[in-house]
Amino acid sequence: MKIHEYQAKELFKEAGVAVPDGVATSSVEEAVKAAEEMKANGTNLFVVKAQIHAGGRGKGRTKKNNAKGVILCRSIDEVREAAESLLGDTLVTIQTGEEGQEVKTIYVTDGVDIEKEFYLGILLDRANSQNVIMVSTEGGVEIEKVAEETPEKIVKEWVEPGMELFPSQARRLAFALGFEGAAFKKAVKFIMALYNFYVDTDANMVEINPLVLTTDDDVMALDAKVTFDGNALYRHKDIVELRDTSEENPIELEASKFDLNYIKLDGNVGCMVNGAGLAMATMDIIKLSGGEPANFLDVGGGANVETVKNGFRIILDDKNVKAILINIFGGIVRCDRVANGVIEAVKDPEIADKVKNVPIIVRLQGTNAEEAKEIIDNSDLNVISAVLLKEAAEEVSKVLAA
Ligand code: ADP
Ligand code: MG
């Protein structure tokens, strides 16, 4: 689960991770009021930042007003202008895709005099089964680019899950970034507090780009990208409340309501599969047969009429879908039951109307597979049966060529 920058920074503050002050709002007047209060406290530089679940805002532009997603302001009037130009407009960044994301909230925050920008990321290193803290002196730049071109500029420390980060490790990281004196101590404290935050909140990833050294020798996070492990959210009621479903893909959201694991892709062959591994293999086979998967969809172990119906609804919501490949392994759930489920689902008037021009290829393997094939072959619906995955793939390419 993703959250907004301003939400991450509020959590950081509670966890003792240094951030500039700021106020999130969806009204121009409140933005101005916040800036006035900040000015009364001695601030002369403000930054107005679009709050969307995507990065690259600083280099992004809004569609209508051509405004940047991160705007430096030197006066209250400039804050007003920035707020007006962002709120309600659609911001396009390299991470949003062409359609962009509507800016519903902005964050008015203290502008910081930056001495130097750094990168800091914490995530699970799957290859080592350990948490990894990565830092780089190349802050403010895309870290993927640094990793590719100058990997030696990324310094890492690993921590065994369940163990704590040693202060000596945080010191090594702060040293690698070139911190000295008072700033060095602040950097060590920052890294320790941030690692504890990552563990305590069951975060998947914490990315600070940039982490900065200010001209006053302070160390703080100017940006904050945090995602949480969905499977651990039941332990964090307060974090669940930060979820902003309006930022999520509507079809994926709908799927999650039915406990279906759906991810939209760009191809034209819809897939309905039980089991994540089989779903991956099915997507590979579709590619081999010349098609492109329109989605990943794992319907889980049950595969009953209801799940199949919901699966169809979700797949068919995507107008690119030209064919649907159902690939179910009947282990606990018998294939004949799945076959009947598919037929019943396709007869549902709402689905029947949508699948008129979308051939369905069904491959059922496992318990009672033969009976299942017979059931499908004897139905008068637009459903093609296959026994082998290869055959199913051939049927898909025939259908696509037709
Ligand atoms: P994004 O990564 O989405 O582009 P950032 O929060 O990293 O957004 O902001 C982009 C750039 O704007 C930063 O690299 C930094 O140079 C500048 N910036 C962001 N927040 C502040 C701030 N509070 N004070 C001064 N500069 C800032
Ligand atoms: Mg950033």
Side-chain angles (χ1 to χ4, degrees):
M1 183 192 107
K2 290 186 186 174
I3 57 171
H4 289 291
E5 172 200 5
Y6 79 90
Q7 296 169 319
K9 285 183 170 170
E10 277 161 20
L11 295 176
F12 281 4
K13 225 183 254 179
E14 287 167 27
V17 177
V19 291
D21 284 332
V23 174
T25 173
S26 35
S27 105
V28 175
E29 286 317 314
E30 275 181 31
V32 168
K33 213 173 107 215
E36 279 166 352
E37 274 169 31
M38 285 154 73
K39 195 175 166 78
N41 288 328
T43 303
N44 286 313
L45 182 63
F46 315 90
V47 185
V48 178
K49 308 177 77 170
Q51 299 297 294
I52 57 170
H53 280 188
R57 295 164 300 166
K59 294 204 179 90
R61 293 285 178 153
T62 62
K63 282 189 176 168
K64 264 198 301 225
N65 302 323
N66 199 32
K68 285 188 191 162
V70 176
I71 306 175
L72 259 67
C73 305
R74 303 208 171 261
S75 68
I76 304 287
D77 281 344
E78 282 181 23
V79 170
R80 179 187 293 279
E81 252 172 62
E84 280 171 350
S85 68
L86 285 174
L87 282 168
D89 206 347
T90 300
L91 182 61
V92 179
T93 79
I94 40 166
Q95 290 184 14
T96 61
E98 279 169 34
E99 64 274 27
Q101 282 276 19
E102 190 193 333
V103 182
K104 297 188 222 64
T105 306
I106 50 172
Y107 192 46
V108 183
T109 178
D110 271 340
V112 167
D113 279 324
I114 303 170
E115 177 72 34
K116 193 159 175 13
E117 300 195 336
F118 307 91
Y119 171 91
L120 195 168
I122 309 177
L123 68 160
L124 180 66
D125 177 352
R126 288 170 197 279
N128 284 319
S129 309
Q130 289 185 329
N131 291 317
V132 63
I133 307 163
M134 305 189 284
V135 298
S136 174
T137 50
E138 306 305 292
V141 194
E142 275 163 70
I143 196 67
E144 290 80 7
K145 214 170 140 204
V146 181
E148 206 168 288
E149 292 168 9
T150 47
E152 71 283 358
K153 290 194 170 159
I154 299 177
V155 177
K156 301 177 184 177
E157 284 288 335
W158 284 268
V159 185
E160 187 77 37
M163 300 285 281
E164 290 184 6
L165 173 70
F166 290 117
S168 58
Q169 291 180 290
R171 284 199 291 272
R172 259 203 297 278
L173 292 167
F175 182 76
L177 293 178
F179 282 109
E180 288 172 349
F184 179 86
K185 280 194 191 144
K186 288 176 186 168
V188 171
K189 181 170 172 269
F190 184 100
I191 294 166
M192 294 297 291
L194 193 68
Y195 185 79
N196 291 335
F197 168 86
Y198 166 85
V199 172
D200 293 344
T201 59
D202 289 302
N204 271 338
M205 188 210 58
V206 174
E207 192 176 58
I208 314 292
N209 194 14
L211 164 74
V212 297
L213 171 66
T214 71
T215 48
D216 296 336
D217 244 11
D218 272 329
V219 175
M220 52 175 77
L222 285 203
D223 194 5
K225 209 175 185 185
V226 178
T227 64
F228 298 100
D229 181 351
N231 292 320
L233 284 174
Y234 73 96
R235 297 204 285 219
H236 305 284
K237 300 249 168 354
D238 51 330
I239 292 173
V240 175
E241 281 170 17
L242 304 178
R243 184 167 180 188
D244 181 355
T245 49
S246 72
E247 293 279 316
E248 296 175 23
N249 176 305
I251 315 183
E252 290 180 10
L253 188 66
E254 184 72 12
S256 73
K257 282 190 204 148
F258 300 119
D259 268 333
L260 298 173
N261 202 346
Y262 172 92
I263 294 163
K264 189 185 168 336
L265 302 168
D266 296 329
N268 51 9
V269 183
C271 315
M272 197 181 324
V273 188
N274 65 340
L278 190 58
M280 299 296 275
T282 306
M283 286 158 53
D284 282 346
I285 262 299
I286 287 171
K287 282 202 171 216
L288 283 176
S289 71
E292 284 290 333
N295 65 277
F296 170 98
L297 175 60
D298 173 10
V299 295
N304 57 29
V305 182
E306 269 324 294
T307 22
V308 174
K309 271 190 194 171
N310 289 328
F312 271 124
R313 281 196 198 102
I314 283 164
I315 291 176
L316 291 164
D317 220 53
D318 178 355
K319 299 288 166 281
N320 295 333
V321 170
K322 296 278 178 296
I324 297 176
L325 173 56
I326 300 180
N327 187 15
I328 305 270
F329 178 76
I332 294 167
V333 50
R334 294 187 340 244
C335 292
D336 53 323
R337 290 195 57 186
V338 178
N340 281 321
V342 170
I343 287 169
E344 203 178 313
V346 176
K347 280 184 184 156
D348 180 293
E350 186 200 344
I351 295 168
D353 186 48
K354 286 187 185 161
V355 294
K356 260 189 307 213
N357 302 315
V358 181
I360 300 164
I361 297 105
V362 186
R363 184 252 181 178
L364 295 167
Q365 197 50 276
T367 312
N368 292 0
E370 306 265 299
E371 287 95 316
K373 186 168 169 10
E374 234 166 82
I375 291 169
I376 296 206
D377 289 343
N378 291 336
S379 79
D380 50 2
L381 298 165
N382 191 9
V383 181
I384 304 159
S385 73
V387 175
L388 300 175
L389 193 46
K390 188 166 157 280
E391 289 168 6
E394 282 162 10
E395 292 295 343
V396 171
S397 48
K398 259 192 249 165
V399 162
L400 289 180

